[in-house]
Amino acid sequence: MTSRSAFLLFFILSIATEKTLASVFSSKLIHRFSDEARASINSPVTSFPEKRSFEYYRLLSSIDLRRQRMNLGAKSQSLVPSEGSKTISSGNDFGWLHYTWIDIGTPSVSFLVALDSGSDLLWIPCNCVQCAPLAATYYTSLATKELNEYNPSSSSTSKVFLCSHKLCESAPSCESPREQCPYTVSYASENTSSSGLLVEDVLHLAYSANASSSVKARVVVGCGKKQSGEFLDGTAPDGLMGLGPGELSVPSFLSKAGLMRNSFSMCFDEEEDFGRIYFGDMGTSTQQSTRFLPVDNEFVAYIVGVEACCVGNSCLKQTSFQTLIDSGQSFTYLPEAIYREVALEIDSHINATVKKIEGAPWDYCYETSVEPKVPAIKLKFSSNNTFVIHKPLFVLQQSQGLVQFCLPISATEETIGVIGQNYMRGYRIVFDRENMKLGWSPSKCQEDKMAPPQEASPGSTSSPNPLPTEEQQSRSHAVSPAIAGKTPSITSSSTSLAPCCFSSMRLFNYILLLLLLRGVVSYM
């Protein structure tokens, strides 16, 4: 009896479904400027243009533009930190990380964070157990005001980030999914790391076209209770903002919330120690570009493929390689064989013998009465796009009529190189994550030239968008950054200088491990 009733029910549903699928519903379409539309809108204030007149097409075009602005909304704008787009350099002799002030929490608290495209997590000193000094006097060349420590309990908008969230990669080691997600990020410099707990809070931003605008974006923040290594020496005393392609990075949260296009740009002035950062900036229509390369079908870092290295008009044979574009690295690293080819070619244009300068971390250094002019280094990419390094040499110091200078490139035994900040100077570097490509164009980092054209001037905006739900998230794999360390100033009496940056070998080991295991940074 039961099976018979089930059969009848199935038969009835099948007939009903068949009839429903066979039904076709239709409705007449009416153009907004048609005669029927005129008749249906009987209003003395509504005027209709003459059919196919200039005004007719102008109105249709303006309506299209309004709809585009409505659809794009904030995505047609670029965002900057609430205290402005400007970034500043530490001014260290062998390490120029760029920093910017950001505001987090409610009430907002300011932090001077290092900018690093080689990692994902934004972390700040928080409920410190082991942190760098936060007194501004300790960083005379960097901080213009006291540095701060974050306390989530003092922010009304902070929220515990649980182990149950899909972005908590340390979830397997949590005793309960209701625990707060811990993290540990190991960086490329030896024994350098940040660890603590992940929290959710608001990052304060503004539209670049309207400084009085206000945007509050929810992001994940590392409450950095314990730092080690170079962080304790002041490399990133008030935190670090990871700008990598992983889902924990600030650009990922901003784009997923619909606040901007999925892209950002950084500019480093060629002469002065400052730059700019813009979230949502897609670059100029005239910029050159090359595609990012995936690792095991995932975009885990900003890696590009160089087809050939050239010095002046001489392109060197068998000099193709892959390289990481890393704003957290002060200087540049090339695979051993390619490094030798480039260095020897540059050396052939210098009318001086190589001189070992004590404390300098580079092999090709010189001392002459006049700094020589050498050809540019050109990195050739596909589609005839070329990244030109106009000033390959680095002046260490000038004294008593002598100039000490070096070729600021080091060799690595691995196959992946690193393009650091020293060779990004003079360019607007665009990390176009929407189209997965790197863009570049010459720039003097002036604010009025950096900001992309705006279609509309936004008013005050507060984004209520929460973080994407767990269903919208998926785990990502990040690459540990290599960031420059703080070093003592060079003087004529210097006998031993600190290395220029964090150990490059650790960075390459991380990337190689990533190639094998599809993940480097662990949150544990």
Side-chain angles (χ1 to χ4, degrees):
M1 183 67 180
T2 303
S3 59
R4 183 180 179 185
S5 299
F7 174 77
L8 289 173
L9 178 60
F10 176 77
F11 180 73
I12 293 169
L13 289 174
S14 298
I15 294 175
T17 302
E18 184 177 353
K19 288 185 176 180
T20 301
L21 292 174
S23 301
V24 176
F25 298 93
S26 65
S27 180
K28 188 176 182 180
L29 301 180
I30 301 175
H31 191 273
R32 71 180 69 204
F33 294 150
S34 66
D35 292 336
E36 290 177 84
R38 296 169 191 260
S40 62
I41 302 176
N42 186 18
S43 171
V45 298
T46 302
S47 60
F48 289 83
E50 184 179 346
K51 286 184 179 180
R52 295 176 179 80
S53 64
F54 175 81
E55 181 64 13
Y56 176 90
Y57 292 115
R58 189 193 68 78
L59 281 174
L60 288 178
S61 177
S62 66
I63 291 168
D64 286 346
L65 289 175
R66 282 203 301 270
R67 286 183 59 81
Q68 289 176 28
R69 293 190 186 112
M70 289 171 62
N71 291 333
L72 287 174
K75 289 188 177 182
S76 64
Q77 313 291 331
S78 60
L79 289 167
V80 297
S82 54
E83 298 195 31
S85 65
K86 190 172 183 178
T87 64
I88 54 176
S89 167
S90 66
N92 293 328
D93 294 302
F94 281 162
W96 290 275
L97 277 181
H98 272 246
Y99 303 78
T100 194
W101 288 100
I102 62 171
D103 295 324
I104 295 176
T106 307
S108 63
V109 179
S110 297
F111 299 90
L112 184 64
V113 295
L115 299 171
D116 181 24
S117 64
S119 66
D120 292 332
L121 183 66
L122 164 62
W123 65 263
I124 49 181
C126 166
N127 297 336
C128 284
V129 174
Q130 182 176 287
C131 299
L134 296 177
T137 53
Y138 188 79
Y139 312 99
T140 53
S141 63
L142 178 62
T144 55
K145 58 184 178 182
E146 293 298 303
L147 305 181
N148 291 306
E149 182 179 340
Y150 177 63
N151 184 354
S153 62
S154 298
S155 173
S156 63
T157 48
S158 70
K159 181 181 177 183
V160 172
F161 194 80
L162 298 176
C163 291
S164 59
H165 200 285
K166 287 188 176 181
L167 289 185
C168 178
E169 294 197 350
S170 62
S173 64
C174 295
E175 293 184 2
S176 166
R178 304 306 300 170
E179 286 182 358
Q180 188 168 2
C181 179
Y183 81 91
T184 295
V185 184
S186 295
Y187 293 85
S189 182
E190 187 175 1
N191 298 321
T192 297
S193 65
S194 175
S195 60
L197 299 170
L198 296 183
V199 298
E200 213 184 287
D201 212 334
V202 295
L203 172 66
H204 298 263
L205 302 161
Y207 287 112
S208 59
N210 186 352
S212 63
S213 62
S214 175
V215 175
K216 297 177 182 179
R218 296 203 69 84
V219 297
V220 169
V221 180
C223 172
K225 294 186 175 184
K226 186 176 181 180
Q227 277 62 253
S228 64
E230 296 289 347
F231 290 147
L232 296 181
D233 294 332
T235 299
D238 214 19
L240 181 145
M241 180 187 287
L243 299 167
E247 291 186 280
L248 276 175
S249 72
V250 168
S252 295
F253 288 123
L254 297 183
S255 61
K256 284 186 177 181
L259 296 172
M260 64 167 214
R261 299 286 293 273
N262 193 9
S263 181
F264 70 93
S265 69
M266 298 180 73
C267 178
F268 306 100
D269 186 78
E270 195 166 17
E271 303 296 336
E272 303 295 330
D273 291 332
F274 80 93
R276 303 279 176 188
I277 183 168
Y278 288 90
F279 297 108
D281 180 19
M282 303 291 288
T284 67
S285 59
T286 58
Q287 70 184 5
Q288 296 190 72
S289 65
T290 189
R291 292 202 170 275
F292 292 127
L293 301 178
V295 176
D296 199 13
N297 296 320
E298 291 187 56
F299 291 97
V300 295
Y302 300 123
I303 298 173
V304 297
V306 177
E307 291 191 348
C309 294
C310 307
V311 176
N313 295 322
S314 174
C315 289
L316 309 176
K317 296 180 179 180
Q318 297 181 338
T319 52
S320 64
F321 68 102
Q322 293 183 6
T323 185
L324 180 70
I325 307 299
D326 190 358
S327 70
Q329 188 78 286
S330 287
F331 296 101
T332 294
Y333 300 83
L334 298 178
E336 177 75 32
I338 297 170
Y339 162 72
R340 293 298 172 193
E341 290 283 337
V342 173
L344 288 173
E345 185 66 25
I346 290 288
D347 180 65
S348 69
H349 292 272
I350 298 176
N351 188 23
T353 57
V354 174
K355 178 181 179 179
K356 181 63 178 178
I357 297 177
E358 189 171 1
W362 305 294
D363 297 331
Y364 287 83
C365 293
Y366 309 83
E367 186 176 78
T368 64
S369 57
V370 179
E371 180 189 354
K373 293 183 179 180
V374 299
I377 295 176
K378 301 175 183 178
L379 304 179
K380 294 188 69 176
F381 297 95
S382 60
S383 304
N384 293 322
N385 287 323
T386 304
F387 186 89
V388 182
I389 301 157
H390 295 282
K391 297 180 179 180
L393 300 180
F394 170 71
V395 175
L396 290 181
Q397 66 174 4
Q398 295 176 311
S399 64
Q400 299 178 346
L402 293 176
V403 181
Q404 290 182 343
F405 58 92
C406 298
L407 177 66
I409 306 175
S410 298
T412 170
E413 296 178 357
E414 309 303 338
T415 58
I416 296 179
V418 178
I419 304 300
Q421 279 187 24
N422 69 316
Y423 283 167
M424 296 183 198
R425 286 175 171 256
Y427 283 101
R428 173 184 183 177
I429 307 294
V430 177
F431 297 83
D432 182 353
R433 299 142 50 95
E434 190 169 299
N435 300 297
M436 280 302 164
K437 64 182 182 180
L438 178 78
W440 64 91
S441 59
S443 175
K444 295 184 180 298
C445 299
Q446 297 302 314
E447 189 165 19
D448 57 342
K449 295 181 180 179
M450 280 291 300
Q454 306 297 321
E455 292 184 356
S457 179
S460 178
T461 305
S462 178
S463 172
N465 295 344
L467 291 179
T469 63
E470 294 187 17
E471 289 72 18
Q472 294 171 315
Q473 304 279 14
S474 62
R475 292 195 182 185
S476 62
H477 302 284
V479 172
S480 296
I483 60 178
K486 184 176 182 180
T487 60
S489 299
I490 298 176
T491 63
S492 58
S493 61
S494 295
T495 58
S496 179
L497 297 177
C500 69
C501 54
F502 286 1
S503 169
S504 61
M505 289 303 299
R506 286 291 297 277
L507 170 66
F508 300 125
N509 288 339
Y510 280 132
I511 296 179
L512 288 177
L513 183 61
L514 174 68
L515 293 170
L516 296 174
L517 302 179
R518 300 176 61 190
V520 173
V521 176
S522 63
Y523 298 87
M524 49 188 296

